[in-house]
Amino acid sequence: MRPTWPLLVLTIGQGMAAGVMSLYAAAHLAGESPTPLLWAALAAALVGGAGSFFHMHRLQAARFVLRRLATSWLSREALSTGIFGGGLAVLVVWQWSGPSVGWAYTTAVVAVAGIGWMAVWITARLYASIRAMLSWYTPW
């Protein structure tokens, strides 16, 4: 399968955001909070999210995507990626507006990093369910 550029942008943006968020979480747990990493994670997530809109062929049908959460990997991908992006935005506002220290902030950082990796795993499961995309479903 030859993927479209919006699908590549979505996949790379989401994966990069999860990876950079993991770096930020590790640095935060080590006692530092490098703000550029958090901003880079949010930017990658926004680029990936923009790619998802260009990937959809009928934007009018987008509102129906979440109706089948129990059976659809696409619905789960949309929800988890949206929650991840929202969590990143909350962390950016939290760090920008005040002190980014304490157990609550640390818990939020680790949770958002975990949600990012969950979103990547759900995307991998989606690719595994599409016969034409099995070549994408690898450990890498």
Side-chain angles (χ1 to χ4, degrees), residues 97-138:
S97 65
S100 56
V101 294
W103 67 270
Y105 185 77
T106 300
T107 302
V109 165
V110 172
V112 170
I115 291 167
W117 283 110
M118 182 181 69
V120 169
W121 181 80
I122 289 171
T123 299
R125 296 302 306 151
L126 172 62
Y127 291 164
S129 70
I130 300 171
R131 184 171 297 227
M133 296 185 81
L134 283 177
S135 63
W136 284 32
Y137 187 64
T138 68

Side-chain angles (χ1 to χ4, degrees), residues 12-80:
I12 292 169
Q14 178 195 53
M16 186 178 292
V20 172
M21 183 58 207
S22 296
L23 289 174
Y24 178 80
H28 182 75
L29 290 172
E32 298 182 21
S33 292
T35 304
L37 282 179
L38 190 57
W39 281 96
L42 180 62
L46 290 174
V47 167
S52 71
F53 281 102
F54 289 106
H55 175 60
M56 297 186 73
H57 300 287
R58 290 183 26 217
L59 285 177
Q60 299 83 6
R63 62 188 169 158
F64 302 115
V65 167
L66 296 179
R67 285 189 173 177
R68 296 187 355 218
L69 277 173
T71 59
S72 169
W73 285 110
L74 179 61
S75 297
R76 295 172 193 155
E77 179 192 36
L79 181 64
S80 64

